[in-house]
Tab-separated table of all heavy atoms in Angstrom:
chain	number	residue	atom	x	y	z
X	53	PHE	N	8.216	13.585	-8.127
X	53	PHE	CA	8.502	13.407	-9.503
X	53	PHE	C	9.564	14.529	-9.872
X	53	PHE	O	9.723	14.852	-11.052
X	53	PHE	CB	7.312	13.552	-10.385
X	53	PHE	CG	6.270	12.483	-10.039
X	53	PHE	CD1	5.181	12.788	-9.315
X	53	PHE	CD2	6.482	11.215	-10.482
X	53	PHE	CE1	4.170	11.908	-8.986
X	53	PHE	CE2	5.497	10.216	-10.173
X	53	PHE	CZ	4.365	10.530	-9.433
X	54	GLY	N	10.285	14.967	-8.925
X	54	GLY	CA	11.262	16.155	-9.175
X	54	GLY	C	12.201	15.691	-10.240
X	54	GLY	O	12.854	14.660	-10.282
X	55	ASN	N	12.492	16.632	-11.211
X	55	ASN	CA	13.454	16.515	-12.275
X	55	ASN	C	13.251	15.264	-13.058
X	55	ASN	O	14.175	14.651	-13.644
X	55	ASN	CB	14.907	16.571	-11.803
X	55	ASN	CG	15.193	17.836	-11.193
X	55	ASN	OD1	14.889	18.933	-11.822
X	55	ASN	ND2	15.929	17.936	-10.096
X	56	CYS	N	11.934	14.825	-13.196
X	56	CYS	CA	11.687	13.750	-14.215
X	56	CYS	C	11.508	14.440	-15.590
X	56	CYS	O	10.367	14.802	-15.991
X	56	CYS	CB	10.423	13.035	-13.768
X	56	CYS	SG	10.576	11.939	-12.409
X	57	ILE	N	12.639	14.466	-16.264
X	57	ILE	CA	12.715	15.441	-17.366
X	57	ILE	C	11.990	14.790	-18.602
X	57	ILE	O	11.855	15.401	-19.671
X	57	ILE	CB	14.116	15.871	-17.804
X	57	ILE	CG1	14.980	14.601	-17.976
X	57	ILE	CG2	14.682	16.678	-16.646
X	57	ILE	CD1	16.431	14.981	-18.632
X	58	PHE	N	11.642	13.372	-18.453
X	58	PHE	CA	11.007	12.704	-19.687
X	58	PHE	C	9.499	12.678	-19.441
X	58	PHE	O	8.659	12.326	-20.353
X	58	PHE	CB	11.513	11.265	-19.898
X	58	PHE	CG	13.079	11.369	-20.108
X	58	PHE	CD1	13.889	10.972	-19.184
X	58	PHE	CD2	13.612	11.865	-21.349
X	58	PHE	CE1	15.327	10.967	-19.373
X	58	PHE	CE2	14.910	11.859	-21.530
X	58	PHE	CZ	15.803	11.460	-20.556
X	59	LEU	N	9.061	13.021	-18.248
X	59	LEU	CA	7.666	12.985	-17.902
X	59	LEU	C	6.766	14.041	-18.722
X	59	LEU	O	7.020	15.240	-18.615
X	59	LEU	CB	7.389	13.203	-16.431
X	59	LEU	CG	6.000	13.003	-15.846
X	59	LEU	CD1	5.517	11.481	-16.064
X	59	LEU	CD2	5.864	13.388	-14.379
X	60	GLU	N	5.850	13.554	-19.527
X	60	GLU	CA	5.031	14.403	-20.309
X	60	GLU	C	3.594	14.483	-19.977
X	60	GLU	O	2.977	15.594	-20.104
X	60	GLU	CB	5.142	13.967	-21.864
X	60	GLU	CG	6.461	14.142	-22.384
X	60	GLU	CD	6.520	13.799	-23.878
X	60	GLU	OE1	5.360	13.518	-24.458
X	60	GLU	OE2	7.624	13.795	-24.467
X	61	THR	N	2.975	13.475	-19.324
X	61	THR	CA	1.565	13.326	-19.053
X	61	THR	C	1.422	12.711	-17.723
X	61	THR	O	2.069	11.723	-17.328
X	61	THR	CB	0.836	12.510	-20.045
X	61	THR	OG1	1.101	12.984	-21.426
X	61	THR	CG2	-0.653	12.552	-19.769
X	62	MET	N	0.567	13.339	-16.874
X	62	MET	CA	0.265	12.837	-15.434
X	62	MET	C	-1.126	12.993	-15.156
X	62	MET	O	-1.777	14.118	-15.543
X	62	MET	CB	1.145	13.650	-14.508
X	62	MET	CG	0.861	13.272	-13.098
X	62	MET	SD	1.123	11.585	-12.780
X	62	MET	CE	2.564	11.638	-11.805
X	63	THR	N	-1.741	12.024	-14.551
X	63	THR	CA	-3.171	12.165	-14.019
X	63	THR	C	-3.091	11.851	-12.583
X	63	THR	O	-2.658	10.760	-12.022
X	63	THR	CB	-3.962	11.114	-14.776
X	63	THR	OG1	-4.039	11.284	-16.204
X	63	THR	CG2	-5.504	11.108	-14.208
X	64	LEU	N	-3.685	12.675	-11.815
X	64	LEU	CA	-3.867	12.604	-10.344
X	64	LEU	C	-5.262	12.269	-10.049
X	64	LEU	O	-6.212	12.838	-10.502
X	64	LEU	CB	-3.487	13.928	-9.665
X	64	LEU	CG	-2.002	14.375	-9.810
X	64	LEU	CD1	-1.969	15.739	-9.013
X	64	LEU	CD2	-1.096	13.380	-9.239
X	65	PRO	N	-5.488	11.205	-9.226
X	65	PRO	CA	-6.832	10.715	-8.919
X	65	PRO	C	-7.610	11.710	-8.054
X	65	PRO	O	-7.003	12.603	-7.336
X	65	PRO	CB	-6.577	9.432	-8.250
X	65	PRO	CG	-5.289	9.569	-7.542
X	65	PRO	CD	-4.457	10.375	-8.526
X	66	ASP	N	-8.938	11.488	-8.153
X	66	ASP	CA	-9.816	12.339	-7.207
X	66	ASP	C	-9.546	12.115	-5.707
X	66	ASP	O	-10.144	12.882	-4.935
X	66	ASP	CB	-11.276	12.114	-7.574
X	66	ASP	CG	-11.518	12.733	-8.984
X	66	ASP	OD1	-10.870	13.566	-9.430
X	66	ASP	OD2	-12.577	12.300	-9.534
X	67	SER	N	-8.883	11.067	-5.304
X	67	SER	CA	-8.531	10.874	-3.878
X	67	SER	C	-7.509	11.801	-3.351
X	67	SER	O	-7.311	11.988	-2.094
X	67	SER	CB	-8.102	9.394	-3.666
X	67	SER	OG	-6.983	9.111	-4.502
X	68	ILE	N	-6.845	12.567	-4.198
X	68	ILE	CA	-5.866	13.580	-3.854
X	68	ILE	C	-6.558	14.975	-3.478
X	68	ILE	O	-7.210	15.378	-4.324
X	68	ILE	CB	-4.820	13.822	-5.017
X	68	ILE	CG1	-4.054	12.453	-5.314
X	68	ILE	CG2	-3.815	14.815	-4.584
X	68	ILE	CD1	-3.202	11.964	-4.213
X	69	THR	N	-6.251	15.541	-2.360
X	69	THR	CA	-6.758	16.819	-1.998
X	69	THR	C	-5.756	17.859	-1.915
X	69	THR	O	-6.105	18.989	-1.909
X	69	THR	CB	-7.519	16.716	-0.600
X	69	THR	OG1	-6.535	16.229	0.407
X	69	THR	CG2	-8.673	15.758	-0.743
X	70	THR	N	-4.412	17.548	-1.803
X	70	THR	CA	-3.417	18.505	-1.711
X	70	THR	C	-2.262	18.126	-2.731
X	70	THR	O	-1.892	16.977	-2.658
X	70	THR	CB	-2.832	18.651	-0.353
X	70	THR	OG1	-3.817	19.021	0.581
X	70	THR	CG2	-1.594	19.621	-0.245
X	71	ILE	N	-1.694	19.056	-3.396
X	71	ILE	CA	-0.491	18.840	-4.205
X	71	ILE	C	0.657	19.402	-3.437
X	71	ILE	O	0.758	20.663	-3.094
X	71	ILE	CB	-0.656	19.644	-5.675
X	71	ILE	CG1	-1.797	19.004	-6.379
X	71	ILE	CG2	0.708	19.424	-6.317
X	71	ILE	CD1	-2.010	19.656	-7.815
X	72	PRO	N	1.511	18.396	-2.926
X	72	PRO	CA	2.631	18.933	-2.001
X	72	PRO	C	3.708	19.747	-2.680
X	72	PRO	O	3.764	19.837	-3.890
X	72	PRO	CB	3.093	17.555	-1.494
X	72	PRO	CG	2.781	16.588	-2.536
X	72	PRO	CD	1.500	17.091	-3.216
X	73	ASN	N	4.560	20.285	-1.874
X	73	ASN	CA	5.681	21.114	-2.286
X	73	ASN	C	6.531	20.321	-3.336
X	73	ASN	O	6.769	19.120	-3.141
X	73	ASN	CB	6.661	21.457	-1.113
X	73	ASN	CG	5.992	22.387	-0.266
X	73	ASN	OD1	4.839	23.001	-0.404
X	73	ASN	ND2	6.575	22.563	0.984
X	74	ASP	N	6.996	20.942	-4.342
X	74	ASP	CA	7.836	20.496	-5.263
X	74	ASP	C	7.502	19.149	-6.081
X	74	ASP	O	8.367	18.424	-6.536
X	74	ASP	CB	9.213	20.211	-4.627
X	74	ASP	CG	9.837	21.417	-4.070
X	74	ASP	OD1	10.136	22.348	-4.907
X	74	ASP	OD2	10.108	21.625	-2.802
Side-chain angles (χ1 to χ4, degrees):
F53 303 102
N55 291 323
C56 287
I57 60 171
F58 303 105
L59 187 63
E60 293 184 6
T61 306
M62 174 58 109
T63 299
L64 296 178
D66 290 340
S67 53
I68 300 293
T69 58
T70 298
I71 298 179
N73 293 350
D74 299 298

